[in-house]
Amino acid sequence: EKSDPAPEPLTFNMTALVAAWRYSLGEAAFGRGVLEVAGQQYIIGLLEAVPEPGQEGGELSHVWELHGDSREGIPGIGQGACDNVDVGNSVSMPSDPQRLGSRIAAVEAVSLPGLRGVRVQYEGEEPCPGMSGKRGASLFFRCDATVDYMYAMPPVAARDERGIYHLEGLRFVASAPFAALLATSLPPGTCADDAALAWPTPLACPPCRKVDWAEHPGECGADGMREVTFVLVGPCLGGPDRPAARREVCGGAVGVVTEAEIEGMLKVLVVFAIVIGLALIIYAAYLHRKYHARYAGAGNAALRYGR
């Protein structure tokens, strides 16, 4: 028995996604600018690790979380979870940037009900409060199929008077409505204090596949028929067009005569009427020949006796 072919896998254009991120952030995308999210400041090198701010030849990290005196434009503030934490033989002071991305742990596709995109996860070097592991960071590029600038330039981060960058849509995952759903895809032991960020962009959308279009039956009408339309099971852009809607017999309709059934019965009646009509014509022709022969024979006999 021939098995059904495997569904077409989801594909993501990482080249376009990285290019959009770099275009939107400019020099800040390469660690040469500070990015602020909900009051917290970060230096992010998406794929390239960058040196500790203010330290030439220092440690490298993909994500630096700024605290205290290391914060741009806001000196003297230290409210991070890891402030004044003993790390080995040294002490992490309020002014020390937190190294949350010493290496890229994973670049993975996310495909959950109603949520798709690409997540870059980083492993850090700072202790996780209340856990044996360490703090890390992640950047989730969420597929946003409601905005289509696939063939236009993505939005550019604004730079305030302090020189701090602000990227529209960039937020903490914890404040997003999909936070609980996204958390289900995290590996066990993930630090709850990770710096998890999310950015919506259509460039994180995979092309639509045929299997992404699911049937959506409508309500059954008085004629026993319903309209079936197609809806997307997950966000995507491009790919095959939406299948055309169709009408079908309602499943489980009892005591309802459908249009198709009426059409079928009318065809049967027409055929039956044609057959009956042909039978009557044939029978009439038979009677005509029968009685014509009889009366013709009687007429010939009368002529013979009349002689």
Side-chain angles (χ1 to χ4, degrees), residues 87-248:
V87 184
N89 296 324
S90 62
V91 176
S92 179
M93 300 302 293
S95 60
D96 290 342
Q98 302 298 305
R99 191 182 180 196
L100 303 185
S102 56
R103 75 178 190 92
I104 297 176
V107 178
E108 56 189 4
V110 174
S111 181
L112 298 168
L115 184 68
R116 287 176 176 171
V118 176
R119 179 170 52 201
V120 183
Q121 290 186 288
Y122 304 95
E123 287 186 0
E125 299 297 331
E126 309 298 335
C128 178
M131 297 182 65
S132 59
K134 296 181 178 180
R135 290 186 72 206
S138 64
L139 181 54
F140 175 51
F141 296 96
R142 179 177 65 85
C143 167
D144 183 7
T146 64
V147 180
D148 188 2
Y149 51 79
M150 296 291 287
Y151 303 102
M153 304 308 291
V156 177
R159 192 173 184 182
D160 63 22
E161 66 280 359
R162 301 169 298 163
I164 307 299
Y165 289 87
H166 304 265
L167 181 57
E168 181 182 358
L170 185 65
R171 64 191 302 181
F172 286 108
V173 169
S175 66
F178 53 82
L181 179 61
L182 188 61
T184 63
S185 64
L186 290 172
T190 299
C191 180
D193 201 43
D194 279 0
L197 304 175
W199 186 48
T201 170
L203 293 168
C205 295
C208 298
R209 308 162 300 170
K210 289 183 179 180
V211 296
D212 289 323
W213 294 105
E215 292 186 357
H216 181 69
E219 295 184 0
C220 185
D223 59 354
M225 301 291 289
R226 65 184 177 188
E227 183 171 314
V228 179
T229 56
F230 291 84
V231 296
L232 286 171
V233 297
C236 59
L237 284 174
D241 293 334
R242 183 194 303 269
R246 69 171 189 272
R247 286 179 61 80
E248 67 176 16

Side-chain angles (χ1 to χ4, degrees), residues 18-19 23 25 27 37 52 61 75 94-95 116 167 173 176 185 196 203 206 218 220 222 225 250 288 306-307:
V18 172
Y23 176 84
L25 286 180
E27 64 178 11
V37 182
E52 181 178 353
S61 179
S95 60
R116 287 176 176 171
L167 181 57
V173 169
S185 64
L203 293 168
C220 185
M225 301 291 289
C250 297
H288 176 73
R307 291 181 182 173

